Amino acid sequence: MKTLVFGKTGQVALELQARADVIALDRTQADLCDGAACADAIRAHKPDAVINAAAYTAVDKAESDEETATLVNGAAPAAMAGACADLDIPFVHISTDYVFDGSGDTPWPVDAATGPLGVYGRTKLQGEEGVRSAGGTYAILRTSWVVSAHGNNFVKTMLRLGAERDLLTIVADQVGGPTAAGDIAAACLEIVQQLRTDPGKSGTYHFSGGPDVSWADFAREIFAQADITCDVKDIPSSDFPTPAKRPKNSRMDYSATHNAFGISRPDWRLSLSEILKNIEVLTS
């Protein structure tokens, strides 16, 4: 199967390339600010399936750069989905927990009312709406707290800071599912295969690691597995203000994904162990 991937150096895109023989496009090959160029790239390559692993993910920067975030997160996925619909091929699009307002303390079902708190979530929701309206075969995969051995992410930040300090203050009132980029990539590849044979599975799904945990407790597990002696002090979000407001409740109901595709929810603690091993290899 010939699979075209938007994104080449991001966490999920790198894991897709490690797991399958895909054609990964960087921003010089497909300008994400130009939806028509993205659609043209799909038509030129004539793939059997497309996975969009690219996005404007600078959550805080998006608050002052809504125009670019809208083009990349909103317009581009819609154009990609339109081209895939024209070619009658499946399209998998990665979205986010930020489409919700973070209220409550129960997992969000896939059909829950959305209410993004900022530009990033709002533009990602626009992308979702564009994908749905394209009328093709698709899966929108909402995920959260993406980590890997590559790029900038919470695991790598904690390893660096934990080695430098004896105590870190970490937000404890935001709860969600840390998700390994490798697990997301594997899920995307499986979903693409199933959509090819059963387009009726098109829809919106959730994919995040379990069990749900706070950022503070996530940090504690990172330090425990990495044998780093660093204490963690719980703090509320109000003690760590950021330009973009983060959802406090990022728990997502996983049942629809398991029921449709038979994919089990990954245990992020096991995935973290693999990430730490990979980081050790990369830095040795």
Side-chain angles (χ1 to χ4, degrees), residues 21-239:
D21 184 15
V22 301
I23 301 169
L25 304 181
D26 62 25
R27 296 188 184 217
T28 66
Q29 297 167 299
D31 183 358
L32 297 171
C33 289
D34 185 347
C38 295
D40 287 345
I42 293 172
R43 296 188 182 98
H45 283 278
K46 296 182 174 63
D48 299 306
V50 175
I51 299 172
N52 181 29
Y56 187 112
T57 57
V59 175
D60 290 323
K61 185 180 178 182
E63 292 298 307
S64 59
D65 190 18
E66 184 165 0
E67 181 179 358
T68 304
T70 299
L71 291 172
V72 175
N73 292 342
M80 295 174 196
C84 289
D86 291 343
L87 295 173
D88 194 24
I89 59 174
F91 177 60
V92 174
H93 173 63
I94 299 171
S95 191
T96 175
D97 58 300
Y98 276 65
V99 300
F100 298 115
D101 66 11
S103 60
D105 58 7
T106 57
W108 295 97
V110 294
D111 58 354
T114 53
L117 300 174
V119 170
Y120 172 67
R122 188 161 63 246
T123 58
K124 290 295 286 184
L125 182 58
Q126 290 169 1
E128 288 190 7
E129 292 166 347
V131 171
R132 293 188 193 99
S133 65
T137 300
Y138 73 93
I140 294 166
L141 200 65
R142 293 175 179 149
T143 190
S144 62
W145 300 18
V146 181
V147 293
S148 72
H150 309 283
N152 299 315
N153 59 69
F154 187 75
V155 170
K156 296 181 75 175
T157 298
M158 289 301 101
L159 293 177
R160 176 175 55 82
L161 294 179
E164 296 171 353
R165 305 180 190 177
D166 297 324
L167 173 69
L168 289 175
T169 56
I170 309 291
V171 169
D173 59 358
Q174 296 174 20
V175 177
T179 316
D183 292 330
I184 299 170
C188 287
L189 293 168
E190 177 62 27
I191 289 169
V192 158
Q193 289 281 9
Q194 293 196 34
L195 286 175
R196 291 190 71 206
T197 58
D198 189 355
K201 292 183 178 182
S202 291
T204 303
Y205 298 94
H206 289 168
F207 186 88
S208 61
D212 293 314
V213 67
S214 71
W215 286 112
D217 284 338
F218 185 20
R220 290 185 178 96
E221 181 65 18
I222 293 169
F223 295 149
Q225 289 200 24
D227 293 322
I228 292 176
T229 303
C230 180
D231 291 330
V232 174
K233 178 183 177 182
D234 293 2
I235 60 169
S237 300
S238 57
D239 283 2

Side-chain angles (χ1 to χ4, degrees), residues 247-264:
K248 288 188 176 181
N249 176 24
S250 291
R251 304 171 181 88
M252 293 193 289
D253 187 329
Y254 193 82
S255 58
T257 309
H258 183 266
N259 292 340
F261 300 106
I263 301 172
S264 297

